[in-house]
Amino acid sequence: MNATAAADDIGVRVRTEVERTIQRGIRGVEFFSTAAPHNRGMPREMLYQRGTLKLYRYKPLVGEVYRVPVLLIMSLLNRPYIFDLTPGVSLVEFLLKRGYEVYLIDWGAPRREDSRLVLEDYALDFIPECIRRVAEDSGEKDVSVLGYCMGGILSALHAAVRPEDGVKNLVCFATPINFKGMKLFRNWADRRHFDVDRLVDTLGNIPPEVITQSMDMLRPVSRIKSQIDLWDNMWNDQFVKSYRIFDRWASDQIPFPGECFRQLIKEFMWDNKLAEGGLKLGGLPIDLKNIRVPFLHVIAEHDHIAPSEATRVLIDLVGSEDKEEIVLKGGHVSLVAGPNAIKRMWPKLDQWLEGRST
Amino acid sequence: MTEPSPEKPFDPFAMWREAVSKFESQANSSLNSAMGSEEFAQFMGKATGLSLGLQNAVNDLMGRYLKALNLPSREDINALGERLQGIEDTLARLADTQERLERRSASGAEVTTLRPAKTRQPPTPAGGQ
């Protein structure tokens, strides 16, 4: 009887696989003959533009909101629409529905002439200016700043140097501080072999392909595996849709401002000044102990881009009394977007922010 | 070969998927070890240096060629781009100032009706804990 049941089961599995193989063929043709879906983000309006920088305010979705608005700050490496991929997979939409006023800084793709921009420009000029604009627009003197990855570094640098700017709460997602913990990146950028000056002097901005390849090299086989997974799941519309949305974002890299890259390699990667001290921006010494506002750091357990060895030190370095670190399952991207984020990070974030946003 | 059990029926497709995942994890780990070596860093440094050297030589040659043809070089285009950006920034500042003046002249009542009330309170006690 058991043998019959097992044979039936195998029969069902084989039949399912045959059906899926047929579907894969049909959907595969469709996949390769159509473009990736365009990002249908939440409605928003641009408040301020400066060079490639754009500050947006999203249209509220509820009639009653918390007093303190939220400002999202993205990394310099990627486009910010990871915060707003598509309805249902949008942190922005979630925050709007939970009653927050949401603003976002889009750094844009740096132009050739932007290769001169340095960390000081971002942390001590652009962010304060955007915060001022948010305050002016919202009519509130304070704001909750949420920074992702390098956006978290910029937010932390700003909060450490300009506490008077009105940051009420600071939230960092997957923010690397101890660059000794980024072992592979650190090895590839070994000062004995890597001539960052020549690279920046020759290229100006660091091309997006270089960034993408570096990221891929952290998990060299995973891109092939993800393509196998895609083929395996080609019959599944939901999987394919999600794959295309994320793949489009991951492939949509932007150049990295050259001087900023030079600074990042020398000051952060080589000298690890952010974690070990000695960093100066615009002549001002940076001490993360000067961050005294309520602070939350959300870390992903399986983050291979900003591993926990690089991120976990931040909570000890900030001077806030009200501070918390949350380690959630997931990787660098699934921490902020996708089913994992929807289930884990977003509710935690809301829970932490709501009591601090009145 | 694994014996089929009542809890986990024999499934060759699942086994294949599991094997692929295992291979991914092992291959990533082995390659990461190789890429974490000093030899790899040295190789990468040399490869980058070669590529940049080649790029410099091409840029230099192209610059001379364009100059001989009396055509603008990349630097000339960049300089134009910078001047254009300067104009863009000035225009953006002017538009911004105008917008702010318009907003100021609009009545306060009109503005407040457009924005939601900021009276929302958290369902949990302050601190969110």
Side-chain angles (χ1 to χ4, degrees):
Chain A
M1 188 69 185
N2 273 349
T4 320
D8 282 351
D9 192 55
I10 292 173
V12 170
R13 293 291 299 120
V14 169
R15 198 163 53 239
T16 309
E17 280 304 321
V18 170
E19 279 165 11
R20 284 179 182 177
T21 305
I22 295 166
Q23 284 300 317
R24 279 184 197 112
I26 297 166
R27 306 272 164 91
V29 172
E30 196 182 306
F31 179 87
F32 290 111
S33 60
T34 54
H38 272 283
N39 170 39
R40 288 190 300 116
M42 302 307 293
R44 62 187 187 178
E45 74 176 283
M46 193 175 72
L47 282 186
Y48 170 60
Q49 180 172 17
R50 181 170 164 191
T52 61
L53 179 158
K54 290 187 179 88
L55 173 68
Y56 292 101
R57 182 191 60 223
Y58 286 87
K59 299 218 163 128
L61 293 180
V62 291
E64 188 186 28
V65 295
Y66 291 111
R67 184 186 66 78
V68 182
V70 163
L71 173 64
L72 294 165
I73 301 182
M74 187 55 190
S75 163
L76 298 175
L77 294 160
N78 306 92
R79 303 268 184 194
Y81 63 86
I82 189 68
F83 289 137
D84 188 24
L85 281 174
T86 192
V89 194
S90 163
L91 174 61
V92 170
E93 181 190 23
F94 172 79
L95 290 170
L96 290 170
K97 284 184 174 167
R98 296 298 301 168
Y100 300 91
E101 270 196 303
V102 182
Y103 296 81
L104 176 135
I105 297 178
D106 182 351
W107 300 115
R111 305 164 184 164
R112 176 91 188 173
E113 56 271 24
D114 295 326
S115 65
R116 291 193 217 125
L117 295 175
V118 286
L119 287 170
E120 285 87 335
D121 291 308
Y122 291 95
L124 308 183
D125 186 0
F126 299 153
I127 292 179
E129 181 60 25
C130 287
I131 288 178
R132 195 181 70 73
R133 301 278 172 160
V134 170
E136 194 180 83
D137 181 73
S138 66
E140 297 300 331
K141 62 183 189 317
D142 38 25
V143 60
S144 295
V145 171
L146 277 61
Y148 175 38
C149 188
M150 202 187 160
I153 297 181
L154 297 175
S155 311
L157 291 174
H158 164 261
V161 180
R162 313 235 337 196
E164 70 282 3
D165 274 354
V167 176
K168 186 173 188 297
N169 304 297
L170 177 62
V171 180
C172 292
F173 305 125
T175 298
I177 297 293
N178 176 15
F179 281 71
K180 278 186 178 166
M182 302 178 87
K183 294 194 177 79
L184 279 177
F185 278 135
R186 202 172 152 84
N187 187 49
W188 302 339
D190 188 325
R191 71 173 85 204
R192 290 168 299 172
H193 310 300
F194 180 58
D195 191 348
V196 67
D197 290 326
R198 193 175 176 201
L199 185 77
V200 174
D201 293 343
T202 306
L203 300 178
N205 290 324
I206 307 304
E209 306 80 51
V210 175
I211 313 278
T212 312
Q213 278 163 15
S214 314
M215 298 290 177
D216 280 353
M217 277 167 66
L218 292 173
R219 292 217 172 139
V221 185
S222 293
R223 186 165 281 269
I224 302 167
K225 166 71 168 45
S226 76
Q227 281 158 3
I228 295 173
D229 284 344
L230 170 65
W231 182 249
D232 196 23
N233 289 283
M234 193 63 92
W235 55 272
N236 180 343
D237 282 344
Q238 200 52 44
F239 182 94
V240 174
K241 190 181 164 205
S242 170
Y243 179 93
R244 293 193 92 162
I245 289 169
F246 277 95
D247 188 57
R248 184 173 173 271
W249 176 79
S251 317
D252 195 6
Q253 293 273 354
I254 51 176
F256 194 88
E259 287 305 323
C260 200
F261 183 76
R262 195 194 311 258
Q263 219 175 356
L264 199 72
I265 294 294
K266 289 187 175 175
E267 310 261 318
F268 291 17
M269 198 65 88
W270 290 353
D271 297 336
N272 202 24
K273 285 183 180 171
L274 194 51
E276 293 174 14
L279 180 69
K280 281 186 177 181
L281 284 190
L284 300 166
I286 303 292
D287 186 353
L288 298 177
K289 279 270 175 282
N290 291 334
I291 299 174
R292 302 201 183 278
V293 295
F295 175 78
L296 173 69
H297 193 193
V298 190
I299 292 170
E301 199 180 336
H302 304 292
D303 193 333
H304 67 291
I305 293 172
S308 58
E309 296 93 323
T311 50
R312 295 204 79 157
V313 67
L314 179 55
I315 193 78
D316 295 326
L317 290 176
V318 299
S320 315
E321 277 181 23
D322 175 7
K323 59 181 176 181
E324 190 178 346
E325 180 190 77
I326 303 174
V327 183
L328 298 176
K329 283 194 186 301
H332 193 72
V333 178
S334 67
L335 181 73
V336 293
N340 186 52
I342 295 170
K343 189 172 135 201
R344 297 193 170 95
M345 197 277 272
W346 298 358
K348 281 273 180 195
L349 174 67
D350 177 40
Q351 202 184 355
W352 190 87
L353 266 181
E354 62 186 11
R356 297 169 174 88
S357 298
T358 53
Chain B
M1 193 171 279
T2 324
E3 279 294 311
S5 69
E7 297 81 27
K8 204 177 172 185
F10 172 70
D11 183 350
F13 303 103
M15 283 171 70
W16 175 76
R17 284 178 194 114
E18 212 172 289
V20 172
S21 293
K22 213 169 175 181
F23 167 76
E24 180 204 9
S25 155
Q26 283 170 351
N28 276 339
S29 167
S30 312
L31 288 166
N32 280 171
S33 306
M35 287 189 291
S37 66
E38 200 192 324
E39 289 76 22
F40 187 82
Q42 207 168 358
F43 162 76
M44 261 190 82
K46 278 187 183 157
T48 311
L50 269 173
S51 154
L52 292 174
L54 188 69
Q55 191 156 346
N56 267 333
V58 172
N59 286 349
D60 192 39
L61 192 71
M62 192 58 82
R64 280 191 226 169
Y65 185 63
L66 291 170
K67 200 174 172 185
L69 291 175
N70 204 21
L71 288 170
S73 67
R74 171 178 273 213
E75 279 67 33
D76 297 329
I77 303 284
N78 285 341
L80 270 177
E82 278 183 49
R83 290 180 69 178
L84 264 178
Q85 193 183 344
I87 296 168
E88 265 180 26
D89 288 348
T90 311
L91 279 174
R93 270 200 302 275
L94 284 171
D96 190 54
T97 312
Q98 191 192 349
E99 198 184 322
R100 270 197 277 172
L101 286 171
E102 279 171 7
R103 268 195 219 169
R104 260 181 222 168
S105 65
S107 74
E110 218 177 323
V111 174
T112 47
T113 49
L114 293 172
R115 308 295 284 266
K118 297 186 176 181
T119 47
R120 196 179 185 98
Q121 291 297 316
T124 48
Q129 290 152 55

